[in-house]
Structures are given as C-alpha cells and as structure tokens.
C-alpha cells in the first residue's frame, strides 16, 4: 500500500514539474548548460521531462542589408488660386443643321478655360438648346480632363432635336451652358 502511494506521489510531482517547467538556480531562468536528453523517474516507472532551448534572436544588425531608397516627404501644399466653374465654360458657336424627317442635329462648339493658378481641372457638364418658353430642344455635353492651370481647350458636342407639328428648329441663339462640375486635380509636368 505504501509503495503504490509513493509511486503516485512521484508521478504527480514529475507531471507538475513538467507542466510548470523545472526551475534551476535562484534566478528562475533556464540553464543553457543542461543536457536536453536528461530524464528522471521514480522507482518502477516515471515520466520523461524534455527541455528545449530556443536560441535568442540576433541583436547585432551588422551584415544585415539595408535599403538604399531615400526617405522622402510630401512637398508642402501650394497656396495658389482656385476658381469656381462659373464663366469657365462658354458657347463659342452653335450650328443648327437642316432637319430631315422631323429630326435635326445641333452642334455645340464650346471653350473651357481653367482659371486656377496651380491646379489642373476636369470638367463634366451639359450644353442645351432651349426655346424662349423654356422648352428643352437638344442636349450636348462637356467632357474635358486635365485642363492645365490657365489653359484653354475647345471642343464640340452634337445633339439631336425633333420638330413636331407647328414647331420650328431651335435657333442658334438658343444654345447655352447648363450645369457643369469642375474637379480640381494636381497639375502634370
């Protein structure tokens, strides 16, 4: 009875030591000089305890390649003039074609001028032919990207109009600029 009790106490002690880690010396650290193949056991049986030592990571960076890429910072923001889109898109000419089978083509010729001093701009908008009573007769569009600061661009857009009973073709004077969105973007070059 006593031998069985002693054997159970020995096995319990070895399991506790294995699970919590065997401490050597007074500092509580691992002993690097210990042979990792050691085992312990009691009379008539036991549990093997194996310790593994992981080598420390190197703290010396000598011989480690470094990057030759220079570290750069963003340039400071420029404080140039940024203008609204008002007046920057204008109709240069409006050509109303002769209708065929109650349908005609209107050509909107326009110019975009970027009033910014530092930022380029993208323009997306609408051109219209509108009768004096407010009836929309034809649509065109403005789509111009990367107009440089102070730069101008001329373009044209075509739209169709219909002629109903008792209606006339829209006049060239009916062409106007509708809603236009200007988006400021970094200038290139």
């Amino acid at each position: 009875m006593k031998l069985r009790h002693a054997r159970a106490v020995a096995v319990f002690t070895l399991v506790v030591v294995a699970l919590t880690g065997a401490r050597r010396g007074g500092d509580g650290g691992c002993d690097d000089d210990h042979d990792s193949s050691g085992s312990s056991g009691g009379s008539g049986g036991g549990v093997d305890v194996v310790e593994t030592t992981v080598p420390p990571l190197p703290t010396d960076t000598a011989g480690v390649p470094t990057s030759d890429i220079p570290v750069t910072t963003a340039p400071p923001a420029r404080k140039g003039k940024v203008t609204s889109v008002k007046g920057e898109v204008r109709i240069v000419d409006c050509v109303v074609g002769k209708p065929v089978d109650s349908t005609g083509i209107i050509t909107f010729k326009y110019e975009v001028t970027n009033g910014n001093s530092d930022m380029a701009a993208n323009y997306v908008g609408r051109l219209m032919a509108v009768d004096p009573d407010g009836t929309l007769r034809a649509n065109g569009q403005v789509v111009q990207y990367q107009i440089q600061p102070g730069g101008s661009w001329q373009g044209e857009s075509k739209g169709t109009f219909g002629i109903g009973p008792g209606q006339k073709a829209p006049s060239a004077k009916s062409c106007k600029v509708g809603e236009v969105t200007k988006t400021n973007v970094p200038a290139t070059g």
Side-chain angles (χ1 to χ4, degrees), residues 94-181:
C94 192
V95 179
V96 180
K98 186 175 180 179
V100 176
D101 295 330
S102 301
T103 303
I105 295 177
I106 191 163
T107 303
F108 301 93
K109 295 184 180 184
Y110 62 91
E111 182 177 51
V112 179
T113 302
N114 182 0
N116 294 343
S117 61
D118 276 345
M119 300 288 286
N122 299 334
Y123 295 82
V124 177
R126 181 177 179 197
L127 305 171
M128 303 181 293
V130 181
D131 282 344
D133 66 359
T135 304
L136 177 66
R137 299 296 300 276
N139 278 312
Q141 62 182 352
V142 173
V143 180
Q144 297 296 333
Y145 294 104
Q146 286 289 323
I147 306 293
Q148 295 302 307
S152 292
W153 183 268
Q154 291 188 350
E156 70 177 45
S157 177
K158 295 183 187 274
T160 59
F161 63 90
I163 297 180
Q167 242 181 353
K168 294 182 181 179
S171 72
K173 293 181 181 181
S174 69
C175 295
K176 67 179 194 172
V177 176
E179 185 178 341
V180 178
T181 301

Side-chain angles (χ1 to χ4, degrees), residues 37-105:
S37 63
S39 65
S40 64
S43 61
V47 176
D48 288 335
V49 178
V50 178
E51 294 179 23
T52 304
T53 303
V54 176
L57 294 174
T59 56
D60 183 15
T61 58
V64 176
T66 58
S67 174
D68 292 334
I69 300 172
V71 176
T72 59
T73 57
R78 297 186 287 187
K79 296 183 181 178
K81 179 176 76 169
V82 176
T83 58
S84 73
V85 72
K86 187 175 180 180
E88 293 187 347
V89 178
R90 67 183 185 93
I91 300 286
V92 176
D93 195 9
C94 192
V95 179
V96 180
K98 186 175 180 179
V100 176
D101 295 330
S102 301
T103 303
I105 295 177

